[in-house]
Amino acid sequence: MKGKRRRHSTGRRHRTTLVIAFALVAALGATVPATADTPYPFRDPTLPVAKRVDDLLARLTLDEKISLLHQYEPAIPRLGIQSFRTGTEALHGVAWLGKATVFPQAIGLASTWDPALMRQVGSAVGDEARGFQQQRPDGWGLNLWAPVVNLLRDPRWGRNEEGYSEDPELTGALSTAYGEGLTGGDPNHLKTAPTLKHYLAYNNEVDRATTSSDLRPRVEKEYDEAAFKPAIEADAATGVMTSYNLVNGRPSTVNPDLNDVVRKWTDQSLLNVTDAFAPGNLVTPQQYYPSIAEGDAAALKAGIDSFTDNSADPGPTTTAINSALQQGLLKPSDIDTAVSHVLSVRVRLGEFDPGGGRYGSIDASVINSPAHQQLARKAAAEGTVLLKNNGALPLRSSGSGPAKNVAVVGPLADTLYTDWYSGTLPYAVTPAQGIASKLGTGVTTSEGVDRIALRDTTTGKYVTAGTGDTGAPLQETTNTPTTAAQFDAFDWGSGIVTLRSAANGKYVGYNWSNFVNDQTQPNGWYVQQQFKLEQQDDGTYLLKYAGYETSESWWSSPLYLGPTDTNGTLGLVPKDQAAHYAKDVVRSGVADAVAAVKGKDTAVVVIGSMPSINGREAHDRTDMALAPTQEALVKAVHAANPKTVVVVENSYPTTLGALQKEVPALLWTSHAGQETGNALADVLYGDVNPSGRLTQTWYRSESDLPSILDYDIIKSDRTYEYFQGTPLYPFGYGLSYTTFRYGALKPVPGGYEVPVTNTGTRAGDEVVQLYTHQRTSRDKEPLKQLKAFQRVSLKPGQTKTVHLKIQQKDLAHWDVTRSKWTVESGTYDVMAGASSADIRARTTWRVHGETVPPRNLSKTTRAENFDDYSGIHLVDESKASGTAVGAAADGAWLKFADTQLGAGAGKFTARVAGTGAGTVEVRLGSPTGRLVGTARAGGTASSYDYETVTADLSSGAAKGRTDVYLVLSDGLRIAAFAIQ
């Protein structure tokens, strides 16, 4: 049970000794020496966590308490307390601390649909975080910022690679498993303290600090909150990080749900943190509070316990908190509350226990251990998804042995890329290396990219790079295309290329003054290795700099390259001064790849994305297509060798166009870490039967998607739950080298069971997925909803009965008429299958729940609890709490369906705000239906000052059972209303 541990008599005697000792100290007026061995109660591991926290809290001065509210918590020598830092990144391995095991990206881990494996990976990552504890390198701490549980409702999100799924059930199960691995499974003795990112409804990078995610109550409860709740409820996470965006007009940094919702999911103390620099955003650019003191005070009262601001400098935060206390914005008890949350986690981490507690002995030997290397390989293989197979795979067939005459080509054939939150690779097994190792012989490789030289058509000189390891500034120096004048041009789509110098194998990047070939791969916050070759009408090219900083509002420098001195050194110049270059193709990438694959037993083409370029933090994708030259490469290789297998290595659903129709076999993998090549070889050659499944819908076109800023998945028919079209690949999809047959789906206590048989000739894993559909409801319901899933391993011919847990309460949806979860009476379809679109067995469930009664609008009704709407935004009722509805245009409307007005209603009353005059019309049946009353607002001092407006309703008109519409003037806000 939570919070209960066996007490031993020795512990009781120890506590008695402590009490006597402290009594003597107090009587003598002595000061207890500040050493870790001092027998303070907060150092007694036999005491309950709460008592230890209370003891330590009572010993801290106010200034010491305030110092613990910043990310960088200083040491307190007088109590023998070490410094503490929140925020070690551990998304798919420990990051930024040095070499450590790099597991597949989060989206790749999720594609395993394997909670047991996720738990193992989480445990390994937690061990490695502990492994750094003796050295405590810069950036180390046991409060881990992982996992990311934001739902992947839009595949264009730049941070898609960091999340798990578009589905809350799957996301909740996997994040809980990963968190259990990180914590060690005992909330009172934490291996590490994971923090869920990013609360809440954060799915766009464009203007992320100023855009507001509109969350109507059903979307908030059924979708976004549902992803965060399971891990917190299971004590598999110790807090949440707030997101940069606003939700319903209020910055997430001051979201009152931190206290009012999230903390109610568990009995444990949670340590909630802000995202980096987000507290400062409250002043600029969000302009929500006029000062840091007011913003920090509001955040603390909303439920933030640790401020991630101003990097390692706590000064501005501690100054602001002290100012807030002096102004009466905070009370000392507010400080105590937040600090107690911080200390609770530190106590549970064993920081104050002898030897560092249960996990204090873990040392650096666990980092990148052989066991973790094998786990990384298993995870990478299990997360690979077989999208198409016309008999081309596996490459090893029985009796014939492996085909050893293989070519591995493509821009990702012989390299591994890491992402922003990757750890440092301790080693790298590329696809080509993994296949060569599998075969025990060399393979032919080609990156399939053009090698070019750029010649200034005015001067006749070629652009050259440095030949040493550190490169040199680009210059126009020679009239012949020597090796120093040659660059491999990698096309990443959307016109973006990177230029790798043939002289030293390093990428060209901008260093704020010159362009130098000194980078191992594109990297950095601004990713300054990006260029565009813009073809002109005369056939020449302009070389445009496209580093990410050029899209920032503060960027004012020119964008084009040209000589800036007599030595021909390239710098940034205005477009009209840009050099015009002839692009000489020294070596055709397509021709080179075609030559490599001709006559080979197999051609493996590895294409995909560069994680720092094709969308990442602060940058969304504008499309989901492959780079044009990559698609052309695949077509040319397939034409040259029909036995072509294509591997797409990226982090998001891809619109593959005609490509997926043409090639015989197609696999997807994430950027899968150090063991990518070995894992890929295991799958290609049949040592591992692919069992990965897609965790997102793969759409055919961007036209299938609404705006990335539209968060209402119900109204806009987003995700597999509501999408009406035909996807390229559906949610849950993935093929195997064997086949499976499903028997009848039958109800059993606690859920359903279905027999599954391996009808093929190979052992394999099937991921059995259980979906439900509510046939009738007062509300718009999902077409399908994942309720349970189970991996099952089957030998050829073997049958196993798969048990899928589901209870009637799992069928509930949020009833906006009464603001509660409800299970409606009716018939529910229950479906088991291999994907959301491949249902193999089904039955029905007659549920005796409740019938939602007609709305009673005579009681005060929150305006946000509408059934439908047009032309509105959800906004903050006040800065502290509440959601109102704001009209974005004249004629905006809200629908309140199935309202019982009885024999007749005579009066409409509403709380409204707005700096201008406006009206609220009450109409029946439709937004243009019968007008029964108009309330007029005169305008208030601000959008947070509300007035009560009324209207007499037409005599005898507003009666019976009908749909009521409120039609609003532009700029008007309405918080609540009643019709009586």
Side-chain angles (χ1 to χ4, degrees):
M1 295 177 65
K2 288 183 184 176
K4 292 189 177 179
R5 301 197 308 277
R6 182 177 297 171
R7 305 284 188 242
H8 298 289
S9 59
T10 53
R12 287 194 293 271
R13 287 196 300 272
H14 181 49
R15 288 197 299 276
T16 302
T17 303
L18 287 174
V19 170
I20 294 171
F22 283 122
L24 288 171
V25 168
L28 295 172
T31 301
V32 178
T35 71
D37 297 325
T38 300
Y40 290 133
F42 75 82
R43 293 194 178 278
D44 182 356
T46 68
L47 291 177
V49 171
K51 286 186 177 294
R52 299 176 71 183
V53 170
D54 289 346
D55 175 72
L56 179 51
L57 189 67
R59 297 178 189 282
L60 297 172
T61 68
L62 181 59
D63 283 343
E64 288 169 340
K65 293 174 185 177
I66 292 172
S67 77
L68 301 182
L69 298 178
H70 189 263
Q71 178 186 20
Y72 287 80
E73 303 174 26
I76 303 176
R78 71 181 187 85
L79 295 175
I81 294 174
Q82 287 186 293
S83 62
F84 185 85
R85 177 186 182 273
T86 64
T88 296
E89 300 292 353
L91 185 59
H92 54 109
V94 180
W96 307 356
L97 300 182
K99 292 180 180 180
T101 308
V102 178
F103 292 94
Q105 291 176 308
I107 185 68
L109 290 173
S111 298
T112 67
W113 289 60
D114 190 343
L117 178 64
M118 294 289 288
R119 197 172 291 110
Q120 285 182 279
V121 173
S123 182
V125 175
D127 284 348
E128 295 202 11
R130 280 279 182 175
F132 285 100
Q133 64 188 344
Q134 277 79 27
Q135 294 86 5
R136 291 173 66 100
D138 247 7
W140 174 83
L142 293 176
N143 173 241
L144 307 186
W145 287 352
V148 171
V149 298
N150 296 108
L151 291 163
L152 307 181
R153 64 177 181 91
D154 195 309
R156 295 168 296 189
W157 185 33
R159 302 182 77 167
N160 197 83
E161 66 204 30
E162 298 180 37
Y164 289 149
S165 171
E166 68 183 34
D167 179 77
E169 172 71 26
L170 180 59
T171 297
L174 297 180
S175 58
T176 298
Y178 191 69
E180 287 170 343
L182 291 173
T183 63
D186 179 353
N188 289 325
H189 297 87
L190 298 169
K191 183 190 297 184
T192 64
T195 302
L196 304 184
K197 297 163 64 172
H198 313 78
Y199 194 86
L200 186 69
Y202 169 42
N203 232 182
N204 63 275
E205 298 304 295
V206 58
D207 299 327
R208 62 182 181 172
T210 54
T211 56
S212 180
S213 306
D214 280 10
L215 289 190
R216 59 195 285 191
R218 280 195 64 197
V219 175
E220 183 168 7
K221 296 295 182 183
E222 297 174 23
Y223 193 63
D224 287 279
E225 283 183 9
F228 281 85
K229 184 178 180 181
I232 297 291
E233 194 172 46
D235 292 329
T238 58
V240 300
M241 171 191 282
T242 52
S243 51
Y244 284 118
N245 57 293
L246 296 82
V247 174
N248 296 344
R250 182 180 295 108
S252 293
T253 307
V254 291
N255 188 341
D257 285 356
L258 294 171
N259 281 331
D260 300 343
V261 175
V262 178
R263 292 197 194 277
K264 292 180 180 177
W265 291 337
T266 179
D267 294 331
Q268 292 286 344
S269 288
L270 298 179
L271 166 54
N272 296 330
V273 307
T274 74
D275 209 335
F277 296 96
N281 289 347
L282 290 168
V283 178
T284 303
Q286 290 167 345
Q287 299 182 357
Y288 205 72
Y289 290 100
S291 70
I292 294 295
E294 290 168 276
D296 283 4
L300 204 71
K301 294 173 80 170
I304 288 295
D305 307 303
S306 179
F307 292 84
T308 315
D309 210 6
N310 302 291
S311 299
D313 180 9
T317 296
T318 56
T319 299
I321 296 296
N322 275 304
S323 176
L325 285 166
Q326 293 166 8
Q327 296 177 57
L329 301 172
L330 289 173
K331 297 178 291 186
S333 60
D334 296 320
I335 308 298
D336 285 354
T337 297
V339 173
S340 70
H341 297 151
V342 175
L343 295 179
S344 175
V345 167
R346 293 181 66 170
V347 166
R348 287 183 279 156
L349 283 168
E351 180 181 347
F352 310 124
D353 292 358
R358 178 179 297 181
Y359 301 103
S361 62
I362 297 176
D363 61 25
S365 64
V366 301
I367 299 172
N368 191 39
S369 67
H372 291 179
Q373 293 172 10
Q374 287 302 309
L375 184 61
R377 183 170 181 167
K378 175 180 170 64
E382 201 171 299
T384 300
V385 182
L386 180 60
L387 298 175
K388 180 183 180 182
N389 187 20
N390 286 348
L393 294 174
L395 295 179
R396 178 183 293 136
S397 58
S398 60
S400 62
K404 291 196 172 186
N405 193 10
V406 176
V408 187
V409 302
L412 282 79
D414 205 20
T415 191
L416 293 187
Y417 289 122
T418 54
D419 62 53
W420 180 249
Y421 287 103
S422 287
T424 303
L425 291 170
Y427 60 87
V429 182
T430 70
Q433 291 170 340
I435 292 171
S437 177
K438 178 71 66 178
L439 297 176
T441 186
V443 297
T444 303
T445 62
S446 168
E447 290 178 310
V449 299
D450 288 346
R451 178 163 289 185
I452 65 172
L454 298 173
R455 177 174 51 85
D456 190 325
T457 56
T458 300
T459 65
K461 293 186 180 296
Y462 284 92
V463 175
T464 59
T467 56
D469 189 59
T470 57
L474 297 190
Q475 291 179 286
E476 294 181 2
T477 62
T478 179
N479 293 102
T480 57
T482 62
T483 300
Q486 297 174 21
F487 301 89
D488 297 320
F490 290 79
D491 176 15
W492 300 112
S494 301
I496 296 294
V497 299
T498 53
L499 300 174
R500 188 183 63 195
S501 171
N504 67 352
K506 296 293 184 69
Y507 287 86
V508 176
Y510 183 54
N511 64 7
W512 303 100
S513 58
N514 297 119
F515 293 90
V516 182
N517 57 317
D518 62 351
Q519 299 297 307
T520 302
Q521 74 170 52
N523 64 88
W525 182 252
Y526 291 116
V527 192
Q528 296 176 303
Q529 298 81 33
Q530 300 180 86
F531 300 89
K532 290 186 177 183
L533 284 166
E534 294 184 349
Q535 189 167 19
Q536 305 301 296
D537 292 340
D538 61 0
T540 63
Y541 291 84
L542 302 185
L543 186 56
K544 182 178 182 179
Y545 174 55
Y548 276 156
E549 73 270 31
T550 63
S551 61
E552 297 285 344
S553 59
W554 48 262
W555 180 264
S556 58
S557 299
L559 295 173
Y560 290 86
L561 274 67
T564 55
D565 61 25
T566 57
N567 293 326
T569 301
L570 296 188
L572 290 173
V573 297
K575 186 175 183 178
D576 60 1
Q577 298 175 28
H580 284 247
Y581 292 108
K583 185 179 73 172
D584 298 344
V585 178
V586 178
R587 183 190 65 211
S588 165
V590 168
D592 191 61
V594 165
V597 304
K598 278 186 176 179
K600 298 297 191 291
D601 294 332
T602 304
V604 178
V605 189
V606 190
I607 54 176
S609 71
M610 201 287 136
S612 290
I613 292 174
N614 296 108
R616 47 149 286 186
E617 184 170 356
H619 296 275
D620 295 314
R621 276 173 288 281
T622 55
D623 64 65
M624 299 177 290
L626 288 172
T629 58
Q630 292 189 23
E631 190 161 351
L633 173 68
V634 172
K635 291 180 179 179
V637 167
H638 182 230
N641 188 333
K643 293 175 287 186
T644 293
V645 174
V646 176
V647 178
V648 178
E649 185 180 336
N650 65 15
S651 318
Y652 48 89
T654 308
T655 52
L656 294 174
L659 186 66
Q660 58 91 23
K661 296 180 181 178
E662 297 173 2
V663 297
L666 185 63
L667 296 101
W668 173 86
T669 178
S670 70
H671 294 279
Q674 63 201 52
E675 286 286 339
T676 297
N678 284 331
L680 184 59
D682 288 342
V683 172
L684 288 172
Y685 284 91
D687 294 320
V688 171
N689 193 339
S691 59
R693 301 293 183 263
L694 299 179
T695 66
Q696 290 177 271
T697 302
W698 281 43
Y699 298 96
R700 294 181 181 274
S701 167
E702 289 82 9
S703 63
D704 288 330
L705 295 167
S707 165
I708 196 172
L709 300 178
D710 184 345
Y711 279 76
D712 190 347
I713 68 164
I714 298 175
K715 190 174 179 69
S716 60
D717 294 330
R718 272 184 184 272
T719 80
Y720 81 95
E721 291 190 30
Y722 295 96
F723 182 57
Q724 302 281 348
T726 302
L728 182 67
Y729 296 113
F731 172 82
Y733 175 86
L735 301 177
S736 170
Y737 293 154
T738 190
T739 54
F740 302 96
R741 183 181 66 239
Y742 286 56
L745 184 63
K746 297 178 181 179
V748 293
Y752 284 81
E753 66 178 23
V754 60
V756 180
T757 303
N758 183 341
T759 54
T761 59
R762 289 176 174 270
D765 285 10
E766 172 70 324
V767 179
V768 181
Q769 303 161 40
L770 186 77
Y771 297 88
T772 63
H773 168 66
Q774 185 174 344
R775 289 188 179 180
T776 58
S777 172
R778 84 168 296 278
D779 298 309
K780 180 179 178 180
E781 291 295 326
L783 303 172
K784 287 188 186 77
Q785 227 175 351
L786 183 72
K787 294 298 182 181
F789 63 94
Q790 183 71 51
R791 286 182 68 97
V792 57
S793 298
L794 295 167
K795 298 175 183 177
Q798 185 180 16
T799 299
K800 288 184 180 179
T801 299
V802 179
H803 297 270
L804 298 155
K805 295 180 181 179
I806 184 174
Q807 302 178 56
Q808 182 169 308
K809 67 181 180 64
D810 298 326
L811 301 174
H813 75 275
W814 189 254
D815 173 21
V816 293
T817 71
R818 297 171 295 172
S819 294
K820 58 172 286 206
W821 291 100
T822 185
V823 177
E824 291 180 285
S825 296
T827 299
Y828 292 71
D829 295 311
V830 183
M831 301 160 279
S835 79
S836 59
D838 186 5
I839 301 302
R840 307 285 186 87
R842 65 174 65 230
T843 187
T844 57
W845 185 358
R846 181 63 187 174
V847 173
H848 299 287
E850 61 178 321
T851 299
V852 178
R855 280 187 182 271
N856 178 5
L857 298 184
S858 65
K859 299 179 180 179
T860 299
T861 298
R862 299 292 304 173
E864 66 181 305
N865 286 325
F866 49 73
D867 290 294
D868 198 4
Y869 62 92
S870 176
I872 61 97
H873 285 297
L874 292 168
V875 296
D876 49 339
E877 182 178 3
S878 73
K879 290 191 174 183
S881 64
T883 296
V885 177
D890 284 334
W893 54 263
L894 303 174
K895 176 184 179 181
F896 298 87
D898 191 26
T899 296
Q900 179 58 264
L901 296 175
K907 190 173 184 179
F908 170 77
T909 306
R911 285 186 68 244
V912 300
T915 55
T919 61
V920 183
E921 296 178 346
V922 182
R923 294 182 178 269
L924 306 181
S926 77
T928 57
R930 184 171 183 180
L931 177 64
V932 296
T934 301
R936 303 185 183 280
T940 57
S942 79
S943 55
Y944 298 119
D945 292 317
Y946 285 83
E947 61 176 319
T948 299
V949 298
T950 62
D952 293 328
L953 304 182
S954 301
S955 178
K959 64 181 181 179
R961 193 166 174 175
T962 186
D963 295 338
V964 173
Y965 287 78
L966 302 184
V967 183
L968 311 175
S969 298
D970 185 16
L972 198 66
R973 291 184 171 199
I974 178 169
F977 70 96
I979 297 178
Q980 299 170 323

